[in-house]
Each structure stands twice: as structure tokens, then as C-alpha cells.
Amino acid sequence: MFKLFHRIRHHARGTGTMIDFKEQKMQLLDRLERSGYINKIVREAMERLPREDFVPDDVKVSAYEDRPLSIGLGQTISAPHMYGMYSTSLEFQQGKTTKILEIGTGSGYQAALCAEMLRLSGAKGHVYTIERIAELAKRAKDVIKKLGYEDLVTIITGDGTLGYAEEAPYDRILVTAAAPRIPEALLGQLGEGGLMLIPVGEMHGCQTLYKITKTEGTIKQTEISGVAFVPLVGKDGFSV
Ligand code: SAM
């Protein structure tokens, strides 16, 4: 028993082999695929990403459990099935340029997943991701650089409720914190034919994930499922 605990602790500190993480990852991806949360391209991208590199040492041992994990500063990396729900909607096409805006960089995992999917699908494009907490933005920059995605991902520190007008319009907008309403700036920065995913609801209660599309200037809003996200805090979000 002691030996097992000792070995896991070594994993948690990144000093052991990666074999157990690999097994845990494959089991998780098999389950997500069976439940329909991920498709072929999302699975392949997730296989390539070391989720353990995006979380602090004390939770690395849980990196392949299907639940959100604390990344410090009161924030979380979402559960793997949630990344599946977001990422299967992206539909990148070979040769086509897709500009993505993410609100809530957090650990940087979703941004890296988008970058890996752009590469795998042979699409062109770039991920702009905004984080309001400077310390998290810095950590995410480090891991994105370490894993070689810095040419595809730009991390901005600021208030994502205002979007990022400098690079608008966007083909995809992924909001990964729960908003009290859909921020006007994000609707304005969504391009023609674009798609936005956004959880809307109470600060710490009932929230619904919506899919928003813009076709010939008309906005369509579809309910996807009930979710539980940390709040989107900002000028057009919750106040603290
Ligand atoms: N997508 C992230 C990942 O892959 O790790 C997980 C996001 S976490 C659930 C939500 C993040 O949104 C937190 O890091 C939080 O600080 C951030 N956030 C909250 N309000 C924000 C705002 N107005 N602008 C930018 N980031 C915000």
C-alpha cells in the first residue's frame, strides 16, 4: 500500500514514468468516445495533450478523472467531457482559415486543444484567448510555449466580456465561464456563419450552455445542456 502511494506521489511530482498517465488517459478517452462526448479528431488531439501539464502538482494524480480540477486562485480546469462538448462543435476544415476567440484561458488546455485540432485537420487559423487573472495567463503562456503551440495561440490578459476587437470577427467564440447574459461585444465580434458556445445563468447555480449562430446577420440561440462553470467576471459579466 505504501509503495503504491509512494509511486503515485512520484507521478504527481512528474518524477516517475508516464506509463500510468497513458493508461489512465486511454481509459478516459475510451469512456468519452463510448458516451459520444468526443469524435475522432477530438480524441486524437486529446491523446496528444498531456492534461497533467496543465494542472498544479497536487492534482496531477487526478488529471485523467472526468471532473473539474482546481488550478488555484479560485479557478478550475473543466472536466474532460466538457472539452469534448465544446471541441466537437468546432468543425475545422482543411485549408480553411478559422479564427477562434476563447474567453477564460484558465489552464490553457482548451486553447492548446484548439491549436492541436487546427493542425490535425490541416486548417489554418489562430486562437486568441483572454484571461482576467494575470498569474493564470502567465502559467498558461508557459505551458503553451513548452508544448510548442505559441505560433497558434495568443494569450491576452484582460476582461473577456469586452471581447478582443483588434482581431474580430471570429468564426468561433468559446466562453468558458458562466455569464449572467450574452455580452453584446461578443455578439458583435461573432463573424457571419460563426458559432459561439456560452454558459449563461446564475453566478453559482443553475446555468445552461447555449450554442449561438449568426447567419445573414440573424442570431439563433439553441440550448445544449445544464452546466456548472465558474463565473464570468467583468464589465458585461458578474461583478465581485
Ligand atoms: N478554458 C479553461 C481551460 O481550458 O483551462 C478553463 C476556464 S475556467 C473554467 C474559467 C476561467 O475564466 C478562469 O480562469 C477565470 O479566471 C476566467 N474568467 C472569468 N471572467 C473572465 C473575464 N471577464 N475575462 C477573461 N477571463 C475570465
Side-chain angles (χ1 to χ4, degrees), residues 71 75-78 83 102-111 130-133 136 158-161 176-177 229-234:
I71 55 170
Q75 305 305 323
T76 54
I77 180 173
S78 302
Y83 290 101
E102 182 194 22
I103 310 301
T105 313
S107 67
Y109 185 83
Q110 180 70 71
I130 310 181
E131 173 55 54
R132 67 179 274 270
I133 301 176
L136 290 180
D159 179 2
T161 66
T176 63
F229 276 88
V230 294
L232 183 75
V233 175

Side-chain angles (χ1 to χ4, degrees), residues 132 158-163 180-185 232-240:
R132 67 179 274 270
D159 179 2
T161 66
L162 306 176
R181 59 194 163 270
I182 302 169
E184 279 301 319
L232 183 75
V233 175
K235 260 194 175 150
D236 202 1
F238 290 104
S239 42
V240 280

Side-chain angles (χ1 to χ4, degrees), residues 160-179:
T161 66
L162 306 176
Y164 189 58
E166 288 86 334
E167 293 292 337
Y170 300 95
D171 305 292
R172 304 284 180 264
I173 299 182
L174 305 179
V175 184
T176 63

Side-chain angles (χ1 to χ4, degrees), residues 64-77:
Y64 294 100
E65 290 172 23
D66 192 16
R67 62 182 177 96
L69 299 172
S70 166
I71 55 170
L73 299 151
Q75 305 305 323
T76 54
I77 180 173

